[in-house]
Structures are given as C-alpha cells and as structure tokens.
Amino acid sequence: MSWSSEIEADSREGGHPEGDSRWSEVDDREELSGGPRRLDPRVRSYWWVRGAIYTVVLGGAALMADMGWFVPRLVPGGWPEGAFSTGVVVVVLTFSVVGPLIAYERWRFALREEDLWIRRGILIRSVSVIPYRRLQFVDTEQGPIARIFGLAELVVHTAAPGTSGRVPGLDADEAEILRERLAHLEPSLDEPT
Amino acid sequence: MSRPDPGPLDGEPTRLHPAVLGVWALQGVFSIVVIVVLTGIVPAAGAAMLAVIVATMVLRYLRFRWRLEPDALIIDEGIFIRKRRVIRRERIQTVDLERGISHRILGVVEVRIEAIGAGGTEGKLSAVDPATADTLRRILLGRERRAGAPWTDGTTEGPRHPDETGHPDETEALPESADARPSSGERIQEPAASRAADSPEVEERVRTVVPPERLVVAGMTGGRVGVAAALVGFLFQTIPEDWWMEGLGFLAETTPDPTSVVGIRILVVLAIFALLGGFFLSVVATVFTHWDFTLSETDETLGVRRGLFTEHRDTVPYRRIQAVQVEENVVRRLLGLGAVRVVVAGRAGGSGNEGTDLLLPIGKRHEVYQIARDVVGLEGEGRPPLERMPWRARSRRYVRALVAAAVVAALVGLVVAGRLDASWWPGVAVAFGSVLLPGLALAEGAYRGLGWTDEGDHLVVSEGVLNRRTTFVRIDRLQVLETSQNPFQRLGGLATLHLRVARPLLGSSPRALDLGADGAQRWREAVARRVGRPTDRSRDDVSATPAHGIDEGLWLPGV
C-alpha cells in the first residue's frame, strides 16, 4: 500500500499482516464518520494572497539589498543589478503559487468516532490522530485576510505542549459549528468495546 | 501531633520562615562583599546601597504570604506590583525540597512547586521549616478525590481503591475510603497537618542507594565527556610515546607556529590536557550533585534525595509521570550500565533544575530496567525484547554514510585538483574510506539501536547509537498520535510514529523512528483506538478524571 493511498486505507481497510495478532484490534475499527474531507477550496485563494504578500515583502527587501536603496548594497559587486532580487522573486513566487495547490491536495481531515484525524504536509507528510478524550480546549481563529475570504481556522489543544492540531481553510460558520461540536463531545466511556 | 495555632497549612496567610532573611543575605554574599569594598572607598554610596538591599529584602519578606487552601496553594507577593499566585492542586506536577548551604546553616528548606503549563518553577517558598515543608509536600501531592467527591474537599486525603493500589494489605488498614464516606462536600474541621502526618501511607521505602564509587563511574562514563574521555584513552594507547614527548618537549618553546606540524602537535596536546581537566571536573561535579543518591517510593510517589553541599529532595507522584527513559551511552553499554530518567510535564529543565529528572544516575542494566518497568507498571524484567525496523531502515542509514563519505571525498578532491599535484589523488580515496568505514559502523549501530514493541498498556521504543534511549510510555499518558514521513523516508517506504505526551516544552516526544509506513499507520490506529476508548482495566481510572482533562488515573508500580 502506498502512502498516497493511505486515506482509503484509513477509512476502509482494516486488514492486518497475517500471523500478527497485534493488529487485530484494527479490524473492527469504525468507518470514518462521513469520511475524510477536503478543506474549503477558497483556502487556495487565501494562501495565494498570503503568498503574494510574502513575495512583495521578500522581493522588496531583496530589491533594497540589490539596488542599495536605503542600505549599502549587500550583493557581490560582480552581479548585475536586479539579478538577485529577480531570483528571489521567482523562487518565492513559485513556492507561493505551487505550494497552495499541493497543500490543498494533501490536506484532509475527519471527525472520526473517537478522534480527530488530520492529514497534511508537503515535504514532511504527516497524519495526526487526536483522541477526543484528550482535548483540553478548542479554538477558532480568523486573521484579516481569512476574514475577507470568509474562512476560519480550527485549533485544538491537548495537554501536549504547543498546538496539537489545526485545520485551516474552513468556512467560518462551519468552523464555529465544528468547534462547538468538539467542545461538547462527551467521550463515550459507557459501552465496553 | 497537633498544632496549637492555625498555620499556613490550615489556610492562614503566613510569612516565610524569618530565617529567609539570612538565606537571602548569605546567597547575596557577593553583593555584600562588593558593598563592603565600595564602603571602603566611598562610604556613603556603599552604605546607601546596603540600606537599599536590606530594605528590599525586608520588604520582600514582609509582603510575602502563603497559605494552603483545600484545593490550591496561594502565594501573595510583590513590593511594588502585588501578585497573587493561585496554584491549583490538580495542576501541580512535582514538589521539590532543596537545602543549600545557607539553608542548612539556618535549619530551613526551600520548597519548589512545579505545575503544568508553567515555563519555570511555578511556586517557590524560599525558607520553610522542615516539618511544615514535609507536610506541605505530602498534602500537595496527595491523591486527589475520586469522581463525585468535590475537589474543594481537600482536607481529607483522597481515598484509594484496593484494586488500584496493588497493595491490598496496606489499603485495608486505611481508615478512610471513598466508599465508606459519603461525598457530601462538608469540610472536615481537622488541621490538615495533623491528619496528613498521621496518615499511614507516608511510609517511604528506600529502593536504591548509589554508593560514591558508583557515582565516580557515573561521572566517568556520563554524557559527552565520558565518550570523549574514552576516545582520548584510546588515543593514548594507540599513539606512540615519543610523539607525546616531542609535543610536550616543544611546549617550552615560545610562540609556536600553529601551521607547523610541531605547532599543531602542541595544540593537540594542550587540547587533550584541557579535556582531561574538564573530565576530572565533571566527575567531581557528578559525585557532588548526586552524593548519597537515594531513590525511595511510597504507594503514590517516587522520591529522590541527593547532593553533598546542596541537598535535594524531589518528589514525583506516579500519576504525573508521562514516560520513563533508560539511557545507555556507548561506554555504559559496554560496561552493562545505564541511567533512568522520568518525563514530567511542567518541570522545566532550565537553570537550577539540572538532573531533577534523573531517577537513577547509574545502575546495572537489569536494575535500571527494573526501575523503569516498575515505574510504568510493566511486568517482567530486563530490557523488553524489541522488534527490529524493516531492512529499508538499515539501507537508509548505509546510504547516508555513503553520501557523507562521498561529500568529504568530493571536497578533498576539489582541494587536490586546485592546489596539489596528481600524486595526492590517493588522498581522496583515503578520505573517502576513512569517513565511510566509521560511517558504516555508526549506520549499523544506529539501525540496531532502533526498536519498538507494543505490550498492550505500554509502548516501548528505542533509538540512538552513541546514546541509546529506550523509552517506556503508558497508553493512558498519550495525548496525540502522529505518523510522519520526510522525503527520504518516503523513498524507503518508512514512517515515524510520534507518541506525543504532556512533557516539558523543550523535551522531545517519544517516537518510533523508521517503522515501515504500513506498520506505522496500523500501529497508530491500534494505539489511538486504545487511547480513545480505553480498555476495561483503565476505565476505572478514567471515572476519576474530568471528562476532557488529562487522564490522571492512578499509576502505581507493578507488584
């Protein structure tokens, strides 16, 4: 099974290597409730706008260093004027354009029976599983650019240091609903498995 | 024992022990010396400064109040800006007592309270009389109440359930139990100090005492210094004696040219002597800080006592321990020795707290693993047999060694091509080989250092070649499970399973490095299921915790 097909595996496959009883518990794993979901497609535009801002800021800084505006020229003398800043802009712009496309393709999240499941990452790919029993508090965050697009970010915290999971690019209303749902989840401790 | 007057333990706001003025004065000896010197030169300025310092000290003492409420420790302090610090009992992770030289002279102890979510020490009581400190520690770390009983009723020690303790005989002797006492929430008007002191559960059993000669071994084999010293010893044996004599002989020469062969030799000899000096100091420091290292246990806590000049008494409740790690560096592994550390959330590893996480600075392998097993409650003995990672994990390490050697060879090749004649080309091959061979040895060692096993309620993972760390994690301490894959791991179909626990901000999470991607994913799901829906056994503990809180179920050593 390849890593890229993992999403299918996570939702459907419960098989285990033969002769290894260690995995037997996976067998009766519940299906993902509703299955894994993508982010809101608007998140790409949001990321693109953010990337454009990065490009302007970094490109501007590079241009200053390149042309010697306000600061001494920081680029080796042999380089033609404009070469360095052009290079910086091309690299940053490429990442800002391509990055959101890959990230959007890569991002999935699911509210499963017992836990929140998040897949993400471009270079370092990861899948986080955050059991609802471990949730300490749940936030939604919305920056100024995200507000323009009507997007919000869901942030969950456990006792582990730092943020345990975040889901960016949710429709603002939906993020609220998700937050409330997670915040009021009572862990199902009653029935034995 | 009964206390005639209500004290801080009964909720009465109280100052620190007056001896704290002496402690602060002794700790500030340096500034006092400076002032005396200044006074000699400019009497007025010196006197003024001394007055300011003394006044600040006295004000600090007068403003400081602490008291123990049923569910929290409350500290009021501040000269200009007054602060109230409320440290709730459920947040408290560890309570450490420290007796420096100044404390010893004045017969008091310092109490440090570490709480979850704090960057450094959350509460510090600079001087408390020893009996009060002891009782305070016991109350703060006492078992919290079970579900149904209000937190605020902290005047009774939380009852224990026979099933949970694993010590049924002792439990029956306990007068109070949750089942016998209705959880009405009424306050029991009994001084906390007397009750805690009478409680039979405070009996401490000494588990291990580390003798001084062992500490010398610990110092000699500890950390990087130990590894470096072993290498130096190896050099001493392999390099011919006259080489050394030559180097030493030229030490007398003035201004050696660092570029000459002799100059380099002198520098090397000097560096080795500096290293030896550092090594000696580190051994002495290890022996002093861990002097009389004693590991003791009660039913609910682990205690460490250590230190020659500054005496530490650190206490960690079992239920606050997130993971246990056995450390065996190369030298110790050869000698069959190791050390044990605990991972506790909230205890900062920063200044003044070095080594507070050590459960045993040095011990024989079986002893070290026995302690680790007992602390997490994993039955059996010795290092658990671990599963190897797939072959691809080994290939990945070999490839890495090859690439490193190739890079070094390429760099040497560039130098040769630029400056030296063709007769130097064999040097490139030598460079390649001399990086490749140790590289391959390390790669094989690193692969063999990797391992994992799943014992149902416990996971054990290990990694490291120069310092092999075997980490024991309890399922009920896991917060988040994460599989991750970097591009190189993707090439080899490998993945890492991160077992995230509540831990100090700077500490790293236990992880199983380079599992097969398949296996990592299945293991993650299997473990997540056990965390999300605890098995029958751990469900008892869960009922005692707030629904969304950290699982604070009782964690007792195995019997």
Side-chain angles (χ1 to χ4, degrees):
Chain A
M1 171 175 34
S2 79
W3 186 259
S4 60
S5 65
E6 173 185 296
I7 192 75
E8 289 76 24
D10 265 296
S11 51
R12 299 189 209 110
E13 195 175 310
H16 53 86
E18 275 167 72
D20 190 354
S21 61
R22 182 173 285 116
W23 306 117
S24 60
E25 283 181 85
V26 183
D27 274 340
D28 49 351
R29 172 95 215 156
E30 251 85 4
E31 295 252 322
L32 299 176
S33 40
R37 294 170 45 194
R38 286 169 176 269
L39 303 180
D40 190 300
R42 282 175 289 173
V43 76
R44 283 173 300 186
S45 317
Y46 161 54
W47 282 334
W48 278 323
V49 169
R50 219 175 47 177
I53 294 172
Y54 288 150
T55 311
V56 168
V57 170
L58 284 174
L63 201 61
M64 273 168 64
D66 201 354
M67 310 303 282
W69 294 339
F70 311 115
V71 292
R73 190 159 191 257
L74 299 169
V75 173
W79 293 26
E81 282 191 354
F84 173 69
S85 43
T86 310
V88 168
V89 168
V90 167
V91 170
V92 176
L93 205 59
T94 310
F95 278 106
S96 319
V97 171
V98 180
L101 290 174
I102 303 176
Y104 176 73
E105 277 310 305
R106 187 68 203 152
W107 261 100
R108 295 282 191 288
F109 72 99
L111 275 75
R112 301 198 297 189
E113 187 89 354
E114 312 280 352
D115 46 47
L116 176 63
W117 179 99
I118 300 171
R119 189 185 81 170
R120 66 176 199 285
I122 299 176
L123 269 185
I124 297 174
R125 300 183 174 177
S126 68
V127 175
S128 305
V129 171
I130 306 152
Y132 299 138
R133 285 185 67 228
R134 293 292 187 256
L135 291 186
Q136 295 274 6
F137 58 98
V138 189
D139 280 343
T140 45
E141 288 176 8
Q142 195 180 33
I145 310 172
R147 198 169 304 140
I148 297 172
F149 288 97
L151 295 172
E153 183 169 15
L154 183 78
V155 186
V156 298
H157 298 265
T158 66
T163 305
S164 294
R166 38 177 73 231
V167 183
L170 291 169
D171 179 79
D173 294 334
E174 204 199 333
E176 304 274 310
I177 294 168
L178 279 180
R179 187 194 62 209
E180 290 309 305
R181 220 177 119 191
L182 286 177
H184 292 108
L185 267 175
E186 284 297 324
S188 50
L189 302 173
D190 34 4
E191 78 280 3
T193 49
Chain B
M1 185 183 88
S2 71
R3 298 168 62 88
D5 302 322
L9 303 179
D10 310 309
E12 187 71 21
T14 310
R15 296 204 174 103
L16 293 171
H17 195 287
V20 74
L21 291 169
V23 170
W24 285 335
L26 285 172
Q27 283 171 349
V29 152
F30 177 73
S31 50
I32 287 171
V33 166
V34 168
I35 287 161
V36 168
V37 170
L38 267 181
T39 324
I41 305 162
V42 197
M49 277 176 66
L50 195 63
V52 167
I53 288 184
V54 170
T56 318
M57 239 153 67
V58 172
L59 269 179
R60 217 169 120 197
Y61 166 71
L62 290 176
R63 285 276 188 256
F64 196 101
R65 293 278 198 294
W66 69 279
R67 67 178 197 271
L68 187 67
E69 289 277 295
D71 58 347
L73 179 75
I74 297 170
I75 298 175
D76 291 305
E77 62 176 322
I79 298 173
F80 298 112
I81 301 165
R82 299 206 186 169
K83 285 189 287 194
R84 163 164 293 187
R85 196 168 278 198
V86 180
I87 310 171
R88 293 178 59 81
R89 241 165 65 116
E90 77 236 39
R91 280 183 58 225
I92 294 174
Q93 302 289 311
T94 62
V95 176
D96 300 338
L97 307 187
E98 190 178 310
R99 263 185 347 139
I101 294 174
S102 52
H103 294 98
R104 289 187 175 202
I105 293 172
L106 297 158
V108 288
V109 294
E110 179 175 301
V111 183
R112 286 189 191 167
I113 295 134
E114 312 284 348
I116 199 165
T121 298
E122 176 83 358
K124 184 162 132 179
L125 306 174
S126 300
V128 177
D129 78 82
T132 311
D134 229 37
T135 316
L136 173 68
R137 180 188 58 160
R138 224 174 287 140
I139 295 175
L140 288 179
L141 296 181
R143 179 102 172 92
E144 283 137 21
R145 311 227 54 169
R146 285 175 71 87
W151 277 97
T152 48
D153 191 359
T155 47
T156 49
E157 284 290 307
R160 297 177 309 161
H161 204 268
D163 309 340
E164 290 173 322
T165 64
H167 297 277
D169 308 357
E170 289 169 35
T171 318
E172 277 163 20
L174 274 179
E176 297 173 353
S177 109
D179 313 323
R181 177 186 299 276
S183 49
S184 59
E186 65 181 308
R187 210 51 107 64
I188 288 98
Q189 298 297 332
E190 181 186 9
S194 64
R195 188 201 30 70
D198 295 340
S199 177
E201 73 189 273
V202 298
E203 179 218 348
E204 263 193 4
R205 298 176 293 275
V206 171
R207 165 108 199 206
T208 314
V209 180
V210 183
E213 61 271 18
R214 276 262 188 104
L215 289 176
V216 174
V217 176
M220 287 172 68
T221 59
R224 295 195 181 87
V225 181
V227 177
L231 289 177
V232 170
F234 178 72
L235 278 182
F236 266 115
Q237 283 177 355
T238 47
I239 293 172
E241 224 166 274
D242 54 336
W243 196 92
W244 293 101
M245 297 326 290
E246 211 173 322
L248 287 170
F250 280 101
L251 273 178
E253 253 185 36
T254 48
T255 61
D257 175 9
T259 55
S260 76
V261 175
V262 172
I264 289 171
R265 213 173 277 186
I266 291 170
L267 288 180
V268 168
V269 171
L270 281 178
I272 286 172
F273 273 94
L275 204 65
L276 284 178
F279 174 65
F280 178 73
L281 285 180
S282 115
V283 172
V284 172
T286 305
V287 174
F288 282 179
T289 54
H290 297 313
W291 185 260
D292 196 25
F293 194 103
T294 310
L295 176 66
S296 55
E297 57 194 8
T298 70
D299 287 347
E300 299 181 352
T301 59
L302 274 175
V304 164
R305 195 182 65 213
R306 66 186 170 89
L308 184 57
F309 298 121
T310 300
E311 191 195 70
H312 294 263
R313 286 179 63 195
D314 305 337
T315 315
V316 192
Y318 286 113
R319 64 174 189 279
R320 300 302 196 199
I321 296 175
Q322 305 294 330
V324 179
Q325 193 167 67
V326 172
E327 279 187 355
E328 299 157 290
N329 66 31
V330 172
V331 184
R332 289 184 179 175
R333 217 153 56 228
L334 288 174
L335 299 171
L337 298 169
V340 194
R341 286 179 190 284
V342 281
V343 177
V344 177
R347 183 140 70 180
S351 57
N353 285 341
E354 285 92 359
T356 42
D357 54 350
L358 269 178
L359 275 193
L360 196 67
I362 190 117
K364 296 220 170 77
R365 183 175 292 142
H366 68 89
E367 185 186 7
V368 161
Y369 278 106
Q370 199 58 51
I371 288 175
R373 277 176 179 273
D374 289 354
V375 169
V376 298
L378 178 59
E379 283 164 14
E381 55 183 38
R383 188 169 195 256
L386 300 184
E387 311 267 336
R388 283 278 173 86
M389 300 304 172
W391 238 97
R392 277 118 53 201
R394 183 185 258 144
S395 321
R396 191 186 157 204
R397 279 159 185 75
Y398 276 83
V399 168
R400 209 147 58 179
L402 261 172
V403 170
V407 167
V408 170
L411 288 176
V412 173
L414 277 178
V415 172
V416 169
R419 296 197 184 171
L420 302 166
D421 59 85
S423 65
W424 282 82
W425 277 110
V428 178
V430 171
F432 183 72
S434 62
V435 175
L436 183 64
L437 288 181
L440 289 181
L442 280 179
E444 178 64 23
Y447 171 72
R448 292 189 180 200
L450 295 176
W452 66 276
T453 187
D454 185 337
E455 301 276 346
D457 287 340
H458 304 83
L459 310 178
V460 187
V461 293
S462 95
E463 71 172 286
V465 49
L466 293 180
N467 186 18
R468 186 175 73 185
R469 291 150 338 253
T470 310
T471 311
F472 295 70
V473 190
R474 271 178 63 133
I475 294 270
D476 57 8
R477 292 300 184 276
L478 288 171
Q479 299 289 332
V480 176
L481 290 148
E482 189 174 307
T483 43
S484 76
Q485 248 193 342
N486 66 30
F488 302 109
Q489 289 180 308
R490 208 142 57 229
L491 279 177
L494 299 167
T496 299
L497 178 64
H498 301 268
L499 308 166
R500 303 212 188 282
V501 294
R503 62 174 202 278
L505 203 56
L506 298 177
S508 57
S509 272
R511 59 177 191 175
L513 192 64
D514 283 354
L515 294 159
D518 257 32
Q521 179 195 320
R522 289 211 182 83
W523 196 19
R524 185 196 71 219
E525 288 303 306
V527 174
R529 186 184 169 81
R530 271 175 268 164
V531 176
R533 187 181 286 185
T535 57
D536 287 352
R537 191 180 141 187
S538 51
R539 272 171 68 227
D540 286 338
D541 290 342
V542 171
S543 62
T545 65
H548 290 290
I550 322 167
D551 186 356
E552 289 174 351
L554 191 62
W555 185 353
L556 287 170
V559 194

